[in-house]
Amino acid sequence: MARYFDVHPENPQKRAIGQVVELVRGGGLIAYPTDSCFALGCALGNKEGIDRIKTIRHLDDRHHFTLVCQDFAQLGQFVHISNAVFRAIKATTPGSYTFILPATKEVPRRLLHPKKKTVGVRIPDHVVTQALVEELGEPLLSTTLLLPDQEEPMTQGWEIKELLDHQVDAVVDSGDCGTEPTTVIDFSEDVPEVVRIGAGDPSPFE
């Protein structure tokens, strides 16, 4: 049975955030809100958590996982980023974008794209997400909570709790989430390529 946390969207309760992070540190898998839509998240080194995400979403090894980071200082530990790319990303973050960049050695190999050795990173503009990654002290390994038989992500925490009650360890609910996933920009070649148009305005990268 998943634990259900009703968290205030603007002033998240410290106790609740602490309990969720404790679950993550203990190997738990959570469903949580972001500035685009709900996501599935676990700790970086949680191999079982990654396998559970792949099972829930029917993902193969080519899927780009995303490291949800608190800020640029954290992001810079996990990806190689040139000055020009840094400026382009800085102008649009925090926000509903995922950036694909070459990974550093800090990223577990199983998270990398098998050929490109890249990983997705993002800094969300969402109070609750920020509170979670700040308390965790490292990025949350994440992917959009979009189930194989659904065209749009679920927007209601209680719905997710009902559907994934035995597949996740906690559901964090802070009100409605959007249904649009992030806009994905591939910077693996230093030149931006818009891979997916979502909640973030793609025009700065076109």
PDB file of all heavy atoms in Angstrom, residues 49-67:
ATOM      1  N   GLY A  49      14.530   0.412  -7.987  1.00  0.00           N
ATOM      2  CA  GLY A  49      13.596   1.490  -8.307  1.00  0.00           C
ATOM      3  C   GLY A  49      13.521   1.742  -9.806  1.00  0.00           C
ATOM      4  O   GLY A  49      12.436   1.928 -10.375  1.00  0.00           O
ATOM      5  N   ILE A  50      14.693   1.721 -10.457  1.00  0.00           N
ATOM      6  CA  ILE A  50      14.748   1.908 -11.913  1.00  0.00           C
ATOM      7  C   ILE A  50      13.988   0.779 -12.614  1.00  0.00           C
ATOM      8  O   ILE A  50      13.209   1.015 -13.541  1.00  0.00           O
ATOM      9  CB  ILE A  50      16.218   1.949 -12.397  1.00  0.00           C
ATOM     10  CG1 ILE A  50      16.935   3.158 -11.806  1.00  0.00           C
ATOM     11  CG2 ILE A  50      16.296   1.977 -13.923  1.00  0.00           C
ATOM     12  CD1 ILE A  50      18.438   3.099 -11.890  1.00  0.00           C
ATOM     13  N   ASP A  51      14.211  -0.447 -12.161  1.00  0.00           N
ATOM     14  CA  ASP A  51      13.511  -1.597 -12.754  1.00  0.00           C
ATOM     15  C   ASP A  51      12.000  -1.479 -12.567  1.00  0.00           C
ATOM     16  O   ASP A  51      11.220  -1.815 -13.459  1.00  0.00           O
ATOM     17  CB  ASP A  51      14.016  -2.910 -12.132  1.00  0.00           C
ATOM     18  CG  ASP A  51      15.456  -3.218 -12.533  1.00  0.00           C
ATOM     19  OD1 ASP A  51      15.925  -2.646 -13.547  1.00  0.00           O
ATOM     20  OD2 ASP A  51      16.115  -4.017 -11.835  1.00  0.00           O
ATOM     21  N   ARG A  52      11.585  -0.990 -11.402  1.00  0.00           N
ATOM     22  CA  ARG A  52      10.150  -0.823 -11.141  1.00  0.00           C
ATOM     23  C   ARG A  52       9.540   0.241 -12.049  1.00  0.00           C
ATOM     24  O   ARG A  52       8.431   0.077 -12.563  1.00  0.00           O
ATOM     25  CB  ARG A  52       9.922  -0.472  -9.663  1.00  0.00           C
ATOM     26  CG  ARG A  52      10.155  -1.648  -8.722  1.00  0.00           C
ATOM     27  CD  ARG A  52      10.264  -1.193  -7.274  1.00  0.00           C
ATOM     28  NE  ARG A  52       8.979  -0.719  -6.744  1.00  0.00           N
ATOM     29  CZ  ARG A  52       8.852  -0.125  -5.548  1.00  0.00           C
ATOM     30  NH1 ARG A  52       9.922   0.087  -4.797  1.00  0.00           N
ATOM     31  NH2 ARG A  52       7.668   0.257  -5.133  1.00  0.00           N
ATOM     32  N   ILE A  53      10.286   1.334 -12.264  1.00  0.00           N
ATOM     33  CA  ILE A  53       9.807   2.380 -13.184  1.00  0.00           C
ATOM     34  C   ILE A  53       9.654   1.798 -14.594  1.00  0.00           C
ATOM     35  O   ILE A  53       8.650   2.031 -15.271  1.00  0.00           O
ATOM     36  CB  ILE A  53      10.779   3.585 -13.206  1.00  0.00           C
ATOM     37  CG1 ILE A  53      10.708   4.361 -11.884  1.00  0.00           C
ATOM     38  CG2 ILE A  53      10.452   4.525 -14.374  1.00  0.00           C
ATOM     39  CD1 ILE A  53      11.751   5.465 -11.741  1.00  0.00           C
ATOM     40  N   LYS A  54      10.660   1.031 -15.024  1.00  0.00           N
ATOM     41  CA  LYS A  54      10.605   0.430 -16.369  1.00  0.00           C
ATOM     42  C   LYS A  54       9.409  -0.506 -16.507  1.00  0.00           C
ATOM     43  O   LYS A  54       8.751  -0.548 -17.553  1.00  0.00           O
ATOM     44  CB  LYS A  54      11.905  -0.338 -16.659  1.00  0.00           C
ATOM     45  CG  LYS A  54      13.090   0.564 -16.964  1.00  0.00           C
ATOM     46  CD  LYS A  54      14.324  -0.273 -17.243  1.00  0.00           C
ATOM     47  CE  LYS A  54      15.495   0.591 -17.698  1.00  0.00           C
ATOM     48  NZ  LYS A  54      16.718  -0.194 -17.908  1.00  0.00           N
ATOM     49  N   THR A  55       9.122  -1.244 -15.437  1.00  0.00           N
ATOM     50  CA  THR A  55       7.984  -2.171 -15.462  1.00  0.00           C
ATOM     51  C   THR A  55       6.664  -1.405 -15.540  1.00  0.00           C
ATOM     52  O   THR A  55       5.791  -1.733 -16.352  1.00  0.00           O
ATOM     53  CB  THR A  55       7.989  -3.056 -14.194  1.00  0.00           C
ATOM     54  OG1 THR A  55       9.223  -3.782 -14.163  1.00  0.00           O
ATOM     55  CG2 THR A  55       6.833  -4.041 -14.201  1.00  0.00           C
ATOM     56  N   ILE A  56       6.511  -0.378 -14.701  1.00  0.00           N
ATOM     57  CA  ILE A  56       5.267   0.408 -14.680  1.00  0.00           C
ATOM     58  C   ILE A  56       5.020   1.062 -16.035  1.00  0.00           C
ATOM     59  O   ILE A  56       3.903   1.063 -16.542  1.00  0.00           O
ATOM     60  CB  ILE A  56       5.317   1.482 -13.566  1.00  0.00           C
ATOM     61  CG1 ILE A  56       5.263   0.820 -12.175  1.00  0.00           C
ATOM     62  CG2 ILE A  56       4.152   2.479 -13.701  1.00  0.00           C
ATOM     63  CD1 ILE A  56       5.573   1.773 -11.025  1.00  0.00           C
ATOM     64  N   ARG A  57       6.079   1.574 -16.637  1.00  0.00           N
ATOM     65  CA  ARG A  57       5.914   2.346 -17.878  1.00  0.00           C
ATOM     66  C   ARG A  57       6.230   1.553 -19.150  1.00  0.00           C
ATOM     67  O   ARG A  57       6.145   2.087 -20.246  1.00  0.00           O
ATOM     68  CB  ARG A  57       6.784   3.605 -17.820  1.00  0.00           C
ATOM     69  CG  ARG A  57       6.199   4.689 -16.920  1.00  0.00           C
ATOM     70  CD  ARG A  57       6.649   6.068 -17.369  1.00  0.00           C
ATOM     71  NE  ARG A  57       6.437   6.296 -18.780  1.00  0.00           N
ATOM     72  CZ  ARG A  57       7.081   7.206 -19.501  1.00  0.00           C
ATOM     73  NH1 ARG A  57       7.985   7.979 -18.933  1.00  0.00           N
ATOM     74  NH2 ARG A  57       6.835   7.365 -20.785  1.00  0.00           N
ATOM     75  N   HIS A  58       6.646   0.298 -18.997  1.00  0.00           N
ATOM     76  CA  HIS A  58       7.021  -0.547 -20.150  1.00  0.00           C
ATOM     77  C   HIS A  58       8.136   0.115 -20.972  1.00  0.00           C
ATOM     78  O   HIS A  58       8.033   0.229 -22.192  1.00  0.00           O
ATOM     79  CB  HIS A  58       5.810  -0.825 -21.068  1.00  0.00           C
ATOM     80  CG  HIS A  58       4.735  -1.628 -20.409  1.00  0.00           C
ATOM     81  ND1 HIS A  58       3.638  -2.102 -21.086  1.00  0.00           N
ATOM     82  CD2 HIS A  58       4.564  -2.032 -19.136  1.00  0.00           C
ATOM     83  CE1 HIS A  58       2.843  -2.762 -20.253  1.00  0.00           C
ATOM     84  NE2 HIS A  58       3.404  -2.724 -19.052  1.00  0.00           N
ATOM     85  N   LEU A  59       9.199   0.543 -20.294  1.00  0.00           N
ATOM     86  CA  LEU A  59      10.297   1.242 -20.966  1.00  0.00           C
ATOM     87  C   LEU A  59      11.403   0.281 -21.360  1.00  0.00           C
ATOM     88  O   LEU A  59      11.648  -0.718 -20.674  1.00  0.00           O
ATOM     89  CB  LEU A  59      10.891   2.313 -20.027  1.00  0.00           C
ATOM     90  CG  LEU A  59       9.942   3.416 -19.557  1.00  0.00           C
ATOM     91  CD1 LEU A  59      10.647   4.294 -18.528  1.00  0.00           C
ATOM     92  CD2 LEU A  59       9.450   4.255 -20.727  1.00  0.00           C
ATOM     93  N   ASP A  60      12.103   0.616 -22.449  1.00  0.00           N
ATOM     94  CA  ASP A  60      13.266  -0.194 -22.824  1.00  0.00           C
ATOM     95  C   ASP A  60      14.549   0.547 -22.432  1.00  0.00           C
ATOM     96  O   ASP A  60      14.506   1.624 -21.827  1.00  0.00           O
ATOM     97  CB  ASP A  60      13.249  -0.543 -24.323  1.00  0.00           C
ATOM     98  CG  ASP A  60      13.300   0.705 -25.215  1.00  0.00           C
ATOM     99  OD1 ASP A  60      13.773   1.767 -24.737  1.00  0.00           O
ATOM    100  OD2 ASP A  60      12.873   0.622 -26.385  1.00  0.00           O
ATOM    101  N   ASP A  61      15.692  -0.031 -22.797  1.00  0.00           N
ATOM    102  CA  ASP A  61      16.987   0.531 -22.373  1.00  0.00           C
ATOM    103  C   ASP A  61      17.348   1.831 -23.094  1.00  0.00           C
ATOM    104  O   ASP A  61      18.311   2.495 -22.726  1.00  0.00           O
ATOM    105  CB  ASP A  61      18.107  -0.494 -22.594  1.00  0.00           C
ATOM    106  CG  ASP A  61      18.012  -1.645 -21.596  1.00  0.00           C
ATOM    107  OD1 ASP A  61      17.394  -1.432 -20.536  1.00  0.00           O
ATOM    108  OD2 ASP A  61      18.518  -2.735 -21.893  1.00  0.00           O
ATOM    109  N   ARG A  62      16.580   2.185 -24.119  1.00  0.00           N
ATOM    110  CA  ARG A  62      16.893   3.421 -24.860  1.00  0.00           C
ATOM    111  C   ARG A  62      16.240   4.647 -24.221  1.00  0.00           C
ATOM    112  O   ARG A  62      16.462   5.763 -24.648  1.00  0.00           O
ATOM    113  CB  ARG A  62      16.439   3.297 -26.320  1.00  0.00           C
ATOM    114  CG  ARG A  62      17.215   2.271 -27.129  1.00  0.00           C
ATOM    115  CD  ARG A  62      16.916   2.397 -28.609  1.00  0.00           C
ATOM    116  NE  ARG A  62      15.480   2.294 -28.879  1.00  0.00           N
ATOM    117  CZ  ARG A  62      14.826   1.144 -29.044  1.00  0.00           C
ATOM    118  NH1 ARG A  62      15.480  -0.002 -28.935  1.00  0.00           N
ATOM    119  NH2 ARG A  62      13.525   1.121 -29.296  1.00  0.00           N
ATOM    120  N   HIS A  63      15.422   4.426 -23.202  1.00  0.00           N
ATOM    121  CA  HIS A  63      14.721   5.557 -22.586  1.00  0.00           C
ATOM    122  C   HIS A  63      15.694   6.471 -21.843  1.00  0.00           C
ATOM    123  O   HIS A  63      16.570   6.012 -21.124  1.00  0.00           O
ATOM    124  CB  HIS A  63      13.669   5.042 -21.602  1.00  0.00           C
ATOM    125  CG  HIS A  63      12.921   6.145 -20.907  1.00  0.00           C
ATOM    126  ND1 HIS A  63      11.959   6.895 -21.538  1.00  0.00           N
ATOM    127  CD2 HIS A  63      13.029   6.656 -19.649  1.00  0.00           C
ATOM    128  CE1 HIS A  63      11.493   7.801 -20.697  1.00  0.00           C
ATOM    129  NE2 HIS A  63      12.127   7.686 -19.545  1.00  0.00           N
ATOM    130  N   HIS A  64      15.518   7.773 -22.050  1.00  0.00           N
ATOM    131  CA  HIS A  64      16.328   8.761 -21.327  1.00  0.00           C
ATOM    132  C   HIS A  64      15.686   9.057 -19.978  1.00  0.00           C
ATOM    133  O   HIS A  64      14.612   9.644 -19.921  1.00  0.00           O
ATOM    134  CB  HIS A  64      16.406  10.067 -22.126  1.00  0.00           C
ATOM    135  CG  HIS A  64      17.677  10.228 -22.885  1.00  0.00           C
ATOM    136  ND1 HIS A  64      17.742  10.279 -24.242  1.00  0.00           N
ATOM    137  CD2 HIS A  64      18.971  10.335 -22.459  1.00  0.00           C
ATOM    138  CE1 HIS A  64      18.995  10.424 -24.638  1.00  0.00           C
ATOM    139  NE2 HIS A  64      19.764  10.451 -23.575  1.00  0.00           N
ATOM    140  N   PHE A  65      16.338   8.628 -18.925  1.00  0.00           N
ATOM    141  CA  PHE A  65      15.886   9.034 -17.589  1.00  0.00           C
ATOM    142  C   PHE A  65      16.303  10.481 -17.346  1.00  0.00           C
ATOM    143  O   PHE A  65      17.212  11.002 -17.995  1.00  0.00           O
ATOM    144  CB  PHE A  65      16.489   8.129 -16.514  1.00  0.00           C
ATOM    145  CG  PHE A  65      15.773   6.818 -16.385  1.00  0.00           C
ATOM    146  CD1 PHE A  65      16.262   5.682 -16.998  1.00  0.00           C
ATOM    147  CD2 PHE A  65      14.597   6.725 -15.664  1.00  0.00           C
ATOM    148  CE1 PHE A  65      15.600   4.476 -16.893  1.00  0.00           C
ATOM    149  CE2 PHE A  65      13.918   5.525 -15.545  1.00  0.00           C
ATOM    150  CZ  PHE A  65      14.418   4.393 -16.164  1.00  0.00           C
ATOM    151  N   THR A  66      15.644  11.115 -16.391  1.00  0.00           N
ATOM    152  CA  THR A  66      15.938  12.521 -16.085  1.00  0.00           C
ATOM    153  C   THR A  66      16.383  12.659 -14.638  1.00  0.00           C
ATOM    154  O   THR A  66      15.805  12.045 -13.746  1.00  0.00           O
ATOM    155  CB  THR A  66      14.675  13.388 -16.305  1.00  0.00           C
ATOM    156  OG1 THR A  66      14.298  13.297 -17.682  1.00  0.00           O
ATOM    157  CG2 THR A  66      14.941  14.840 -15.969  1.00  0.00           C
ATOM    158  N   LEU A  67      17.414  13.455 -14.438  1.00  0.00           N
ATOM    159  CA  LEU A  67      17.833  13.809 -13.085  1.00  0.00           C
ATOM    160  C   LEU A  67      17.204  15.155 -12.754  1.00  0.00           C
ATOM    161  O   LEU A  67      17.516  16.176 -13.380  1.00  0.00           O
ATOM    162  CB  LEU A  67      19.361  13.910 -12.994  1.00  0.00           C
ATOM    163  CG  LEU A  67      20.150  12.679 -13.461  1.00  0.00           C
ATOM    164  CD1 LEU A  67      21.652  12.920 -13.250  1.00  0.00           C
ATOM    165  CD2 LEU A  67      19.713  11.431 -12.733  1.00  0.00           C
TER     166      LEU A  67
END
